[in-house]
């Protein structure tokens, strides 16, 4: 399978006050992308926080209480995501949510579901200041590689995409596509993640798909302001976009969730590793052989 249609969601955190409204929302959103031909769907970091809309107003407006009291909803959410992936025969990354682990620490966790069910999860490894200092989210450990019929996939959640050694670890594991679910409240934050995603695409000669939160959610202290474009980034080289941007959303904010649909040609991606203008993937190790030392 050389070509596949990807869908990255520019996701508005809507206030959905009960389970029925949330399930209807997610089912309609997934069906919309599938009807447009998408085979892999990506939602953003903390998309699962939309579940907190089902909590009482005084709870969902409290930063710590909101993640504590949405925990019982997470298994039902994951079951819904798994059923949607099976029903449509797709790969679905429904974004992340803060999960309370057995050691009593909350971790920012993202899952990937395939046509046969759960493929696994990836935790965020490096926390932002907001997560460390205000939300008290702890770091995960280890990177995972997900095998699919069309490519090996890795996940770098938001801030993780800004660290080159994480991307390099996935590249050396044979990953062709990195999913980058993100959540940023300023244009500067969005551009930091965007630059990180483009750098990982350039260094590893891989594709990076970014899906952000967007729009306003004044009812949630965690996700009150959101900005960012969905995009698919590639290494700028022969046969690929000169600026490395295959597709991107029209604007940085939306009032309703929107999909960015784009077709990725893995054959063209692989070809630049053999016949490209540069071989950044191959030449990475040359910076580690001592020539970069100060003299």
């Amino acid at each position: 399978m050389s070509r596949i249609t990807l869908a990255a969601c520019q996701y508005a955190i809507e206030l959905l006050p009960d389970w029925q409204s949330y399930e209807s929302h997610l089912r309609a959103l997934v069906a919309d992308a599938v009807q447009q031909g998408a085979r892999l769907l990506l939602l953003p970091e903390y998309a699962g926080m939309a579940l907190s809309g089902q909590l009482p107003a005084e709870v969902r407006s409290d930063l710590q209480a909101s993640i504590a009291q949405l925990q019982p909803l997470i298994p039902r959410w994951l079951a819904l995501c798994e059923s949607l992936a099976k029903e449509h025969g797709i790969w679905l990354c429904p974004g992340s949510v803060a999960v309370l682990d057995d050691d009593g620490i909350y971790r920012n966790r993202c899952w990937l579901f395939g046509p046969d069910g759960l493929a696994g999860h990836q935790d965020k490894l490096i926390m932002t200041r907001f997560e460390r200092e205000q939300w008290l989210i702890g770091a995960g450990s280890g990177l995972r590689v997900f095998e699919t019929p069309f490519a090996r996939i890795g996940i770098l959640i938001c801030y993780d995409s800004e660290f080159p050694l994480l991307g390099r670890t996935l590249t050396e594991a044979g990953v062709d596509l990195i999913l980058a679910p993100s959540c940023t409240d300023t244009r500067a934050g969005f551009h930091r993640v965007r630059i990180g995603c483009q750098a990982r695409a350039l260094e590893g000669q891989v594709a990076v798909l970014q899906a952000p939160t967007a729009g306003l959610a004044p009812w949630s202290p965690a996700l009150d302001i959101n900005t960012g474009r969905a995009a698919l980034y590639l290494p700028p080289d022969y046969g690929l976009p000169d600026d490395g941007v295959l597709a991107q959303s029209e604007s940085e904010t939306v009032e309703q969730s929107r999909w960015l649909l784009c077709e990725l040609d893995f054959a063209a991606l692989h070809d630049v590793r053999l016949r490209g203008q540069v071989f950044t993937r191959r030449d990475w190790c040359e910076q580690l052989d001592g020539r970069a030392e100060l003299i």
Side-chain angles (χ1 to χ4, degrees), residues 108-119:
N108 185 353
R109 182 163 297 160
C110 189
W111 294 262
L112 182 65
F113 298 93
D116 297 325
L118 178 65

Side-chain angles (χ1 to χ4, degrees), residues 176 201-207 234-241 265-282:
D176 286 319
L202 170 64
E203 296 160 354
Q205 295 182 302
V206 298
L234 300 174
D237 212 316
Y238 292 135
L240 302 178
D265 183 352
F266 286 103
L269 184 63
H270 295 164
D271 192 60
V272 302
R273 301 175 192 165
L274 299 174
R275 288 176 281 274
Q277 292 175 297
V278 293
F279 292 135
T280 49
R281 184 187 184 98
R282 183 200 67 185

Side-chain angles (χ1 to χ4, degrees), residues 74-149:
I74 293 176
R76 190 175 184 183
W77 177 57
L78 296 177
L80 172 60
C81 295
E82 183 170 28
S83 70
L84 288 170
K86 290 180 176 179
E87 175 185 338
H88 294 288
I90 57 170
W91 292 85
L92 172 63
C93 181
S96 72
V97 75
V99 175
L100 183 61
D101 268 339
D102 293 338
D103 59 3
I105 296 174
Y106 287 103
R107 291 187 172 85
N108 185 353
R109 182 163 297 160
C110 189
W111 294 262
L112 182 65
F113 298 93
D116 297 325
L118 178 65
H121 73 267
Q122 175 65 58
D123 287 347
K124 191 173 184 177
L125 304 183
I126 303 176
M127 300 298 106
T128 63
R129 289 192 62 194
F130 173 75
E131 289 171 310
R132 295 172 195 256
E133 299 170 16
Q134 298 181 49
W135 218 359
L136 307 180
I137 307 294
S141 61
L143 288 163
R144 292 171 170 81
V145 175
F146 302 92
E147 300 283 353
T148 74

Side-chain angles (χ1 to χ4, degrees), residues 48-78:
M49 285 301 297
L51 296 169
S52 65
Q54 300 174 45
L55 304 175
E58 66 274 14
V59 175
R60 64 181 182 240
S61 63
D62 183 296
L63 191 60
Q64 301 299 330
S66 61
I67 60 170
Q69 295 199 33
L70 68 74
Q71 296 301 305
L73 296 172
I74 293 176
R76 190 175 184 183
W77 177 57
L78 296 177

Side-chain angles (χ1 to χ4, degrees), residues 217-236:
W219 55 272
S220 171
L223 302 175
D224 51 352
I225 302 172
N226 305 274
T227 186
R229 295 175 189 251
L232 178 60
Y233 306 113
L234 300 174

Side-chain angles (χ1 to χ4, degrees), residues 167-196:
R168 183 62 189 181
T169 298
L170 293 177
T171 296
E172 291 181 349
V175 162
D176 286 319
L177 173 62
I178 294 174
L179 305 181
S182 67
C183 177
T184 50
D185 61 351
T186 65
R187 296 188 72 240
F190 159 61
H191 282 288
R192 285 194 296 269
V193 178
R194 174 189 177 130
I195 291 167

